mmCIF file of all heavy atoms in Angstrom:
data_model
loop_
_atom_site.group_PDB
_atom_site.id
_atom_site.type_symbol
_atom_site.label_atom_id
_atom_site.label_comp_id
_atom_site.label_asym_id
_atom_site.label_seq_id
_atom_site.Cartn_x
_atom_site.Cartn_y
_atom_site.Cartn_z
ATOM 1 N N GLY A 376 151.284 241.281 357.558
ATOM 2 C CA GLY A 376 152.215 240.456 358.313
ATOM 3 C C GLY A 376 153.270 241.288 359.016
ATOM 4 O O GLY A 376 153.641 241.013 360.172
ATOM 5 N N VAL A 377 153.761 242.332 358.327
ATOM 6 C CA VAL A 377 154.738 243.237 358.937
ATOM 7 C C VAL A 377 154.124 243.920 360.155
ATOM 8 O O VAL A 377 154.757 244.033 361.210
ATOM 9 C CB VAL A 377 155.215 244.293 357.909
ATOM 10 C CG1 VAL A 377 156.112 245.327 358.579
ATOM 11 C CG2 VAL A 377 155.970 243.613 356.766
ATOM 12 N N VAL A 378 152.887 244.376 360.020
ATOM 13 C CA VAL A 378 152.198 245.031 361.140
ATOM 14 C C VAL A 378 152.079 244.079 362.327
ATOM 15 O O VAL A 378 152.367 244.450 363.471
ATOM 16 C CB VAL A 378 150.799 245.518 360.709
ATOM 17 C CG1 VAL A 378 150.008 246.008 361.930
ATOM 18 C CG2 VAL A 378 150.910 246.617 359.672
ATOM 19 N N LEU A 379 151.660 242.848 362.073
ATOM 20 C CA LEU A 379 151.454 241.902 363.172
ATOM 21 C C LEU A 379 152.771 241.459 363.809
ATOM 22 O O LEU A 379 152.808 241.143 364.996
ATOM 23 C CB LEU A 379 150.666 240.687 362.676
ATOM 24 C CG LEU A 379 149.212 240.998 362.315
ATOM 25 C CD1 LEU A 379 148.512 239.751 361.791
ATOM 26 C CD2 LEU A 379 148.449 241.560 363.515
ATOM 27 N N MET A 380 153.867 241.457 363.040
ATOM 28 C CA MET A 380 155.169 241.186 363.645
ATOM 29 C C MET A 380 155.514 242.298 364.635
ATOM 30 O O MET A 380 156.021 242.036 365.741
ATOM 31 C CB MET A 380 156.240 241.090 362.567
ATOM 32 C CG MET A 380 157.599 240.660 363.089
ATOM 33 S SD MET A 380 157.718 238.892 363.448
ATOM 34 C CE MET A 380 158.083 238.258 361.806
ATOM 35 N N ALA A 381 155.219 243.548 364.259
ATOM 36 C CA ALA A 381 155.445 244.671 365.172
ATOM 37 C C ALA A 381 154.529 244.588 366.382
ATOM 38 O O ALA A 381 154.939 244.873 367.517
ATOM 39 C CB ALA A 381 155.234 245.992 364.429
ATOM 40 N N VAL A 382 153.273 244.196 366.163
ATOM 41 C CA VAL A 382 152.306 244.073 367.263
ATOM 42 C C VAL A 382 152.771 243.022 368.268
ATOM 43 O O VAL A 382 152.719 243.242 369.492
ATOM 44 C CB VAL A 382 150.912 243.713 366.709
ATOM 45 C CG1 VAL A 382 149.957 243.328 367.850
ATOM 46 C CG2 VAL A 382 150.332 244.874 365.915
ATOM 47 N N MET A 383 153.232 241.868 367.773
ATOM 48 C CA MET A 383 153.708 240.821 368.680
ATOM 49 C C MET A 383 154.911 241.294 369.488
ATOM 50 O O MET A 383 155.016 241.035 370.689
ATOM 51 C CB MET A 383 154.053 239.556 367.889
ATOM 52 C CG MET A 383 152.851 238.784 367.404
ATOM 53 S SD MET A 383 153.261 237.119 366.787
ATOM 54 C CE MET A 383 154.165 237.530 365.302
ATOM 55 N N ALA A 384 155.845 241.989 368.819
ATOM 56 C CA ALA A 384 157.042 242.462 369.513
ATOM 57 C C ALA A 384 156.698 243.540 370.535
ATOM 58 O O ALA A 384 157.302 243.602 371.610
ATOM 59 C CB ALA A 384 158.052 242.991 368.495
ATOM 60 N N ALA A 385 155.732 244.396 370.207
ATOM 61 C CA ALA A 385 155.344 245.471 371.130
ATOM 62 C C ALA A 385 154.584 244.942 372.335
ATOM 63 O O ALA A 385 154.599 245.552 373.407
ATOM 64 C CB ALA A 385 154.490 246.506 370.391
ATOM 65 N N SER A 386 153.931 243.806 372.179
ATOM 66 C CA SER A 386 153.092 243.269 373.257
ATOM 67 C C SER A 386 153.937 242.651 374.359
ATOM 68 O O SER A 386 155.134 242.408 374.196
ATOM 69 C CB SER A 386 152.135 242.214 372.693
ATOM 70 O OG SER A 386 152.820 241.017 372.362
ATOM 71 N N SER A 387 153.301 242.416 375.489
ATOM 72 C CA SER A 387 153.947 241.703 376.601
ATOM 73 C C SER A 387 152.972 240.653 377.101
ATOM 74 O O SER A 387 151.775 240.908 377.192
ATOM 75 C CB SER A 387 154.332 242.674 377.717
ATOM 76 O OG SER A 387 153.239 243.480 378.087
ATOM 77 N N SER A 388 153.486 239.482 377.412
ATOM 78 C CA SER A 388 152.636 238.342 377.726
ATOM 79 C C SER A 388 151.750 238.605 378.935
ATOM 80 O O SER A 388 152.222 239.032 379.989
ATOM 81 C CB SER A 388 153.491 237.101 377.977
ATOM 82 O OG SER A 388 152.677 235.997 378.304
ATOM 83 N N ASP A 389 150.454 238.349 378.766
ATOM 84 C CA ASP A 389 149.519 238.528 379.867
ATOM 85 C C ASP A 389 148.863 237.217 380.292
ATOM 86 O O ASP A 389 148.074 237.204 381.228
ATOM 87 C CB ASP A 389 148.421 239.527 379.474
ATOM 88 C CG ASP A 389 147.810 239.208 378.114
ATOM 89 O OD1 ASP A 389 148.138 238.160 377.544
ATOM 90 O OD2 ASP A 389 147.006 240.025 377.613
ATOM 91 N N ILE A 390 149.189 236.116 379.610
ATOM 92 C CA ILE A 390 148.555 234.834 379.930
ATOM 93 C C ILE A 390 149.610 233.766 380.220
ATOM 94 O O ILE A 390 149.662 233.208 381.306
ATOM 95 C CB ILE A 390 147.629 234.374 378.791
ATOM 96 C CG1 ILE A 390 146.533 235.431 378.543
ATOM 97 C CG2 ILE A 390 146.983 233.035 379.136
ATOM 98 C CD1 ILE A 390 145.678 235.152 377.349
ATOM 99 N N SER A 391 150.476 233.493 379.251
ATOM 100 C CA SER A 391 151.446 232.404 379.421
ATOM 101 C C SER A 391 152.660 232.819 380.242
ATOM 102 O O SER A 391 153.225 232.024 380.990
ATOM 103 C CB SER A 391 151.898 231.888 378.050
ATOM 104 O OG SER A 391 152.569 232.920 377.323
ATOM 105 N N GLY A 392 153.092 234.079 380.112
ATOM 106 C CA GLY A 392 154.327 234.518 380.742
ATOM 107 C C GLY A 392 154.311 234.562 382.254
ATOM 108 O O GLY A 392 155.203 234.008 382.909
ATOM 109 N N PRO A 393 153.312 235.235 382.893
ATOM 110 C CA PRO A 393 153.342 235.355 384.359
ATOM 111 C C PRO A 393 153.457 234.037 385.119
ATOM 112 O O PRO A 393 154.324 233.919 386.000
ATOM 113 C CB PRO A 393 152.020 236.085 384.658
ATOM 114 C CG PRO A 393 151.779 236.903 383.443
ATOM 115 C CD PRO A 393 152.245 236.056 382.291
ATOM 116 N N PRO A 394 152.635 233.006 384.825
ATOM 117 C CA PRO A 394 152.804 231.756 385.579
ATOM 118 C C PRO A 394 154.138 231.073 385.303
ATOM 119 O O PRO A 394 154.711 230.438 386.194
ATOM 120 C CB PRO A 394 151.629 230.884 385.113
ATOM 121 C CG PRO A 394 151.188 231.468 383.822
ATOM 122 C CD PRO A 394 151.473 232.927 383.917
#
Side-chain angles (χ1 to χ4, degrees):
V377 174
V378 172
L379 291 178
M380 186 76 83
V382 170
M383 286 192 291
S386 73
S387 51
S388 179
D389 49 7
I390 301 173
S391 63

